[in-house]
Amino acid sequence: MKKIGIMGGTFDPIHYGHLVTAEAAREKFHLDEVVFVPSGIPPHKKKRLISDPHHRCFMVELAIASNPNFTISETEIKREGYSFAADTVDTFVEIYGKNAEIYFITGGDAIKEILSWHKIDDLIKKCSFIAATRPGYDFSNGFHLPSPYQEKVFPLKVTALAISSSQIRSMTAIGESIKYLVPEDVEKYIHVHGLYRQVNEE
Ligand code: ATP
Ligand code: MG
C-alpha cells in the first residue's frame, strides 16, 4: 500500500516552514511521496490579491527540486472555482485508486477549522490528517475533536519555525532581507520577478 501525503497551501511564497513540515510528515508517517498542491482560489483568502498561480507553482518547483520524494500537482490551479480539499482528495483517489492511503498534511492553525471544511463528512472517510505544530498554534495538550474526526487526525511535532508567507511578503515590501527564510532560488525568483514589492494585505 502506497502512502501519499498531500501538502496543500497558497504557497505565496513557499518557505522553510512548509518544507520542514512536509519532510517531518514524510519521515514520521513513512510516506512514499509528498505532493505539494498550490491552491487556486482558496475559500478563506478571498480578501487578498493572491499572486499569479504560475509564480506560486514555479517557486514550489524550485523549492522541491532537490528532494526526490517531493512532487507538485496543479490540480487545484487547473480546477475552476474555489479550492476545496474534498475535491483534491477525490482527484488523488481517482489517480491512485484504492492502492494508496492518503494523508492530508496541515499546520495546527488549519486543523482547528477542520470541522467547518466543505464536505468534511465525505473527506474524513477518504483520508487521514496530519496536524503539524506551528508556532502560535500550539496543541501540546492534544486537541479534541468529536468522533470520527479525532481518530483520523494525527498530531506531528515539527521543529518550530515561526515563518509565514505573510511575514515574507511584508518584509519584502519594506525591503528587509528574507534570506534563510526561503530557499535561495525562491529568494532570487522573488527579486527577479519583483514579487511582493507592494503591501497588499487586508
Ligand atoms: P499566509 O501567511 O499567507 O497564510 P502561510 O505561511 O500560513 O501563509 P499557507 O500557504 O497558508 O502558508 O500554508 C500552507 C500550509 O502550511 C497550512 O496547512 C499551514 O498551516 C502550514 N504552515 C505554514 N507555515 C508553517 C510553519 N511555519 N510551520 C508549520 N506549518 C506551517
Ligand atoms: Mg496560512
Side-chain angles (χ1 to χ4, degrees), residues 31-159:
L31 307 177
D32 295 288
E33 185 182 346
V34 176
V35 188
F36 285 73
V37 185
S39 51
I41 308 169
H44 60 287
K45 288 193 183 170
K46 293 171 210 168
K47 288 200 186 110
R48 180 175 79 76
L49 206 68
I50 291 158
S51 304
D52 194 292
H54 123 271
H55 284 312
R56 294 185 288 117
C57 287
F58 211 99
M59 290 189 282
V60 169
E61 279 172 17
L62 291 172
I64 67 174
S66 61
N67 190 329
N69 304 110
F70 287 180
T71 56
I72 178 171
S73 160
E74 296 192 5
T75 176
E76 291 197 1
I77 303 280
K78 295 198 171 124
R79 198 187 307 139
E80 292 200 8
Y82 290 133
S83 294
F84 293 116
D87 299 331
T88 303
V89 169
D90 277 345
T91 305
F92 279 80
V93 171
E94 270 168 38
I95 295 170
Y96 292 97
K98 297 254 176 282
N99 299 322
E101 262 176 65
I102 296 173
Y103 289 80
F104 203 94
I105 307 163
T106 76
D109 54 323
I111 208 71
K112 278 181 152 175
E113 279 115 52
I114 174 177
L115 298 180
S116 67
W117 284 16
H118 182 63
K119 293 196 251 178
I120 182 66
D121 293 332
D122 199 26
L123 183 58
I124 203 80
K125 291 185 196 129
K126 295 176 183 161
C127 68
S128 300
F129 287 85
I130 297 173
T133 49
R134 179 174 186 182
Y137 304 91
D138 195 20
F139 47 80
S140 46
N141 296 325
F143 49 86
H144 301 284
L145 301 170
S147 196
Y149 307 102
Q150 182 73 13
E151 294 78 13
K152 297 206 81 177
V153 180
F154 303 102
L156 169 69
K157 209 162 182 283
V158 171
T159 303

Side-chain angles (χ1 to χ4, degrees), residues 10-11 15 18 21 45 107 109 134 161 163-166 169:
T10 317
F11 304 122
H15 55 70
H18 299 129
T21 301
K45 288 193 183 170
D109 54 323
R134 179 174 186 182
L161 287 178
I163 307 174
S164 69
S165 304
S166 346
R169 293 192 299 272

